[in-house]
């Protein structure tokens, strides 16, 4: 079993898409092993997205991710990282495959509704950023 992190971003939470998004993961064989709704601070969002610190969109990303609550989840399943990314679809919703979360719900590249870990090692770090091992079941 593999674990990955998924975040339903502020645009998804604001539009009451939490249940619809979670059902997409569950319908495709991923299990929610941990979940919480939280309002990220500027410091938390900055630390989480530190890999993008030098990119021109970093400030805008931190502002977006702190504007309203997000739902963070640890998803579990076979090939969870790859499966989650497949279910999410391409970052640009215009390029996302039919039926993917971003094709169905994202409004733009910036407000693309969900985040998912991009590799197994990244997933371990990202899950640990939000969840203690004792919270994952």
């Amino acid at each position: 079993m593999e674990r990955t992190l998924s975040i339903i971003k502020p645009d998804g939470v604001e539009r009451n898409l939490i249940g619809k998004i979670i059902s997409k993961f569950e319908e495709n064989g991923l299990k929610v092993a941990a979940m919480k709704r939280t309002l990220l601070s500027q410091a938390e969002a900055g630390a989480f997205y530190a890999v993008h610190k030098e990119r021109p969109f970093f400030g805008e990303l931190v502002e977006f991710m702190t504007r309203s609550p997000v739902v963070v989840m640890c998803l579990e399943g076979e090939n969870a990282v790859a499966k989650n990314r497949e279910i999410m679809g391409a970052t640009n919703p215009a390029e996302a495959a039919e039926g993917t979360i971003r094709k169905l719900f994202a409004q733009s590249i910036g407000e693309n509704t969900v985040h998912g870990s991009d590799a197994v090692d990244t997933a371990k770090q990202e899950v640990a950023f939000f969840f203690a091992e004792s919270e994952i079941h």
Side-chain angles (χ1 to χ4, degrees), residues 1-7 21-34 73-89 101 115-117 137:
M1 282 294 165
E2 197 172 88
R3 290 180 177 166
T4 191
L5 185 81
S6 175
I7 302 175
I21 291 169
I22 293 171
S23 71
K24 290 285 183 195
F25 295 129
E26 291 178 333
E27 289 165 7
N28 285 282
L30 294 176
K31 171 189 158 195
V32 178
M73 295 175 282
C74 172
L75 302 176
E76 261 181 359
E78 297 233 3
N79 302 311
V81 173
K83 187 171 279 193
N84 179 31
R85 296 192 66 75
E86 181 183 321
I87 296 164
M88 287 190 315
I101 291 169
H115 165 91
S117 302
H137 305 286

Side-chain angles (χ1 to χ4, degrees), residues 7-80:
I7 302 175
I8 302 175
K9 295 180 179 182
D11 62 307
V13 174
E14 291 163 359
R15 292 183 292 135
N16 294 314
L17 298 172
I18 298 166
K20 289 179 181 178
I21 291 169
I22 293 171
S23 71
K24 290 285 183 195
F25 295 129
E26 291 178 333
E27 289 165 7
N28 285 282
L30 294 176
K31 171 189 158 195
V32 178
M35 179 172 63
K36 59 182 147 188
R37 180 181 165 128
T38 187
L39 181 60
L40 298 176
S41 69
Q42 295 267 332
E44 288 169 324
F48 184 77
Y49 286 108
V51 67
H52 299 303
K53 192 168 187 153
E54 302 304 318
R55 297 243 174 104
F57 61 81
F58 178 74
E60 188 178 315
L61 176 61
V62 170
E63 287 299 315
F64 168 58
M65 291 300 292
T66 59
R67 83 175 185 204
S68 61
V70 297
V71 173
V72 292
M73 295 175 282
C74 172
L75 302 176
E76 261 181 359
E78 297 233 3
N79 302 311

